[in-house]
Amino acid sequence: MIIELKGKKTLILGGARGIGAAIVRACAAAGSDVAWTYRSDHAASAALEAEITAQYGVKTLAFAADSTSETETAAVFSKLTALWGKLDCLVYNSGFTSPVNFCDIDFTEWKRVVDINLNGAFLAIHSAIGLLRAAGGGSIVIIGSAAVVSGGGGRADYVSAKAGLEGLNRAVTKSFAPENIRCNIVHPSLIETDLLTQRHPDPEKRKELGREVPLRRLGQAEDIANAALFLLSEKASYITGQSLFVDGGRTFCK
């Protein structure tokens, strides 16, 4: 099956590194012009932009922006409208987690984690609807977490925010499916990114984690990117409001 996004414009919120960068690459390889946001890692974003331009020849845009800021998110979409005039695909990948016990979470930290993982998705989708409507429809993919089923490692603010994305997905689907705007969630589990490496710096520990997955390996950023690309494409034109677990079977079979 060949998946193409030729002639499409795609925006990835949180796209400079890890899963986000893998989604940028997948969309560019499929022929889409790609834009992304990043919060602070300008060097990673610049390197990605050079790579995409050299390898795929599609148009690129990169914006330094905080996904939790209504003002900065609005500015991204304003610039995108001025430069591209359209949007076909949106991916919300901004997220944050770190291990912490329930009783050690204070309310300020709770609000920050919910802002990044849930409220930012609302801001992005809310800002994108007008452009997607103008394009005659489009596709939204939200990157969630298999922790919505497993409960994760006890980080209650993160799990709660990711669970909130399920409700957002259904609400967006109910509101906008009649306008050919689709919305789906991809739920990763153990994915070998910088975030996992920071949490488990010992390579042997990461190998041990991989052996505990039913498919006997850690997921790669490309595994999530491939799922997102499918859901963004016309190959998934009759799929909306769904949650796809890309977790090697870990969530339900561990």
Side-chain angles (χ1 to χ4, degrees):
M1 181 172 64
I2 298 173
I3 297 178
E4 293 187 349
L5 294 179
K6 288 181 180 178
K8 302 293 187 182
K9 307 285 190 184
T10 302
L11 171 64
I12 298 96
L13 281 294
R17 300 168 57 189
I19 289 172
I23 295 172
V24 168
R25 293 185 183 98
C27 291
S32 177
D33 293 333
V34 284
W36 61 88
T37 67
Y38 64 96
R39 185 165 184 176
S40 59
D41 198 339
H42 176 75
S45 178
L48 179 63
E49 192 166 8
E51 174 191 339
I52 295 300
T53 301
Q55 290 194 18
Y56 304 111
V58 299
K59 295 177 182 177
T60 62
L61 293 171
F63 304 101
D66 181 347
S67 296
T68 70
S69 167
E70 183 176 5
T71 301
E72 293 186 28
T73 298
V76 167
F77 280 89
S78 178
K79 292 173 186 175
L80 195 69
T81 301
L83 293 168
W84 279 358
K86 67 171 289 191
L87 183 68
D88 302 286
C89 303
L90 175 73
V91 179
Y92 188 80
N93 176 64
S94 296
F96 168 80
T97 188
S98 63
V100 64
N101 293 325
F102 184 96
C103 292
D104 293 330
I105 300 171
D106 63 37
F107 192 47
T108 298
E109 182 75 353
W110 173 282
K111 288 186 287 185
R112 184 175 80 93
V113 172
V114 172
D115 268 349
I116 296 169
N117 291 286
L118 175 59
N119 295 338
F122 165 76
L123 290 174
I125 294 170
H126 192 271
S127 298
I129 290 298
L131 283 169
L132 296 172
R133 278 174 165 162
S139 181
I140 300 165
V141 170
I142 305 168
I143 305 302
S145 171
V148 299
V149 171
S150 69
R155 178 104 211 188
D157 42 13
Y158 176 78
V159 175
S160 300
K162 291 297 189 181
L165 293 174
E166 291 275 2
L168 179 61
N169 179 38
R170 291 165 191 154
V172 170
T173 294
K174 191 166 186 178
S175 295
F176 301 110
E179 298 179 65
N180 195 36
I181 297 172
R182 299 183 295 106
C183 188
N184 294 285
I185 298 182
V186 175
H187 287 307
S189 184
L190 289 175
I191 307 299
E192 200 165 17
T193 62
D194 290 347
L195 190 63
L196 187 69
T197 301
Q198 289 166 12
R199 186 172 179 180
H200 301 288
D202 183 355
E204 288 304 315
K205 175 60 177 177
R206 295 199 300 276
K207 288 180 182 179
E208 181 183 335
L209 289 171
R211 288 191 291 269
E212 293 175 358
V213 175
L215 283 180
R216 298 296 185 263
R217 69 172 177 88
L218 293 173
Q220 301 300 309
E222 291 74 19
D223 293 318
I224 308 306
N226 289 336
L229 178 64
F230 168 70
L231 290 170
L232 291 172
S233 77
E234 289 302 311
K235 299 294 185 184
S237 63
Y238 202 59
I239 301 174
T240 192
Q242 301 303 305
S243 298
L244 176 60
F245 286 78
V246 183
D247 63 352
R250 183 172 184 265
T251 304
F252 300 105
C253 303
K254 185 178 177 182

